[in-house]
């Protein structure tokens, strides 16, 4: 069976939460999970390898950087190795709402960008519609048809890497749909996360 969706998981020093993220991905033959460890210094890579070995029902491919390269470099590596018709980004400290993710997949009919909603830690939902799409640039807000993504890539930065990608995607002529489905659990705010550090100028 051909791969419909490549779920892209960049990870760095997230030995526990990354397993929660992987657990949330639907077990389907048309989904591949691409994990790239960005030079973790804890047990992240070891734990992901062990999980992949024990869970053959999840099609996991593992990449790694021998040293920490940053989120932009790591996501570009994931884009370059994806094989699915669509790519979807799952940060290692977040999770999917499994059944809703599967429902969203039924919207993947060749449309270039298929938007979904995100639920954050306080219970609020970030709703993606025609009026809000440009205010939320995170990769988790949309499925992107890989052929449409083309050669658009992240800046080589450690945080907020998806701003340039989103600008590139929105600048190209494209088709888009809004599912109205809430498929993503956005673990924010979370002290110590890359976004938390970046928003405080502690990582660049």
């Amino acid at each position: 069976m051909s791969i419909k969706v490549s779920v892209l998981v960049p990870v760095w020093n997230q030995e526990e939460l990354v397993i929660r993220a992987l657990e949330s991905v639907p077990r389907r033959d048309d989904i591949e999970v691409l994990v790239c460890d960005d030079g973790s210094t804890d047990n992240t890579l070891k734990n992901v390898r062990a999980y992949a070995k024990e869970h053959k029902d999840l099609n996991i491919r593992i990449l790694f950087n021998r040293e920490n390269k940053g989120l932009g470099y790591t996501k570009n590596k994931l884009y370059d190795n994806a094989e699915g018709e669509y790519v979807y980004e799952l940060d290692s400290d977040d999770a999917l709402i499994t059944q809703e993710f599967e429902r969203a997949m039924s919207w993947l009919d060749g449309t270039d960008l298929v938007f979904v909603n995100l639920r954050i830690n306080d219970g609020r939902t970030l709703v993606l519609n025609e009026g809000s799409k440009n205010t939320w640039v995170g990769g988790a807000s949309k499925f992107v048809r890989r052929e449409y993504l083309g050669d658009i890539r992240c800046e080589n930065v450690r945080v907020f890497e998806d701003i340039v990608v989103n600008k590139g995607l929105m600048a190209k002529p494209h088709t888009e749909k809004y599912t109205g489905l809430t498929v993503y659990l956005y673990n924010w705010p979370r002290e110590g996360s890359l976004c938390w550090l970046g928003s405080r100028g502690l990582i660049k």
Side-chain angles (χ1 to χ4, degrees), residues 37-61:
D37 179 77
D38 186 21
S40 292
T41 55
D42 64 1
N43 290 317
T44 294
L45 185 56
K46 177 182 176 182
N47 289 357
V48 170
R49 283 173 167 163
Y51 185 87
K53 185 175 181 180
E54 294 170 6
H55 295 84
K56 301 293 188 183
D57 56 339
L58 191 59
N59 179 21
I60 300 177
R61 289 196 286 139

Side-chain angles (χ1 to χ4, degrees), residues 53-182:
K53 185 175 181 180
E54 294 170 6
H55 295 84
K56 301 293 188 183
D57 56 339
L58 191 59
N59 179 21
I60 300 177
R61 289 196 286 139
I62 302 171
L63 308 170
F64 64 93
N65 304 328
R66 295 190 180 277
E67 59 185 31
N68 183 254
K69 295 284 192 178
L71 197 50
Y73 178 96
T74 302
K75 278 195 177 180
N76 288 341
K77 192 168 185 174
L78 289 166
Y79 291 147
D80 291 343
N81 283 274
E83 296 180 357
E85 180 183 355
Y86 285 84
V87 296
Y88 185 87
E89 298 175 25
L90 171 60
D91 287 344
S92 60
D93 57 345
D94 297 335
L96 303 175
I97 301 174
T98 310
Q99 291 183 332
E100 294 303 287
F101 186 89
E102 287 201 80
R103 287 182 64 193
M105 286 183 63
S106 67
W107 289 68
L108 306 181
D109 58 359
T111 302
D112 296 322
L113 302 176
V114 178
F115 290 88
V116 297
N117 301 335
L118 293 78
R119 184 174 299 146
I120 59 178
N121 285 343
D122 63 5
R124 289 180 298 146
T125 298
L126 296 171
V127 177
L128 274 292
N129 53 42
E130 289 192 36
S132 64
K133 65 178 182 292
N134 288 315
T135 66
W136 179 256
V137 301
S141 65
K142 53 191 170 294
F143 293 83
V144 180
R145 192 167 63 87
R146 188 163 58 90
E147 185 176 334
Y148 172 71
L149 175 70
D151 60 1
I152 294 174
R153 292 296 182 268
C154 301
E155 284 187 296
N156 190 18
V157 294
R158 294 188 175 276
V159 69
F160 305 136
E161 77 301 328
D162 38 16
I163 294 173
V164 169
V165 170
N166 193 71
K167 287 181 178 178
L169 291 173
M170 302 312 299
K172 293 169 61 176
H174 62 274
T175 55
E176 59 188 40
K177 286 185 176 180
Y178 302 87
T179 67
L181 298 171
T182 302

Side-chain angles (χ1 to χ4, degrees), residues 159-160 188-204:
V159 69
F160 305 136
W188 172 262
R190 186 179 71 78
E191 185 173 349
S193 71
L194 286 177
C195 284
W196 186 90
L197 293 169
S199 66
R200 287 158 175 79
L202 299 175
I203 189 170
K204 297 179 180 179

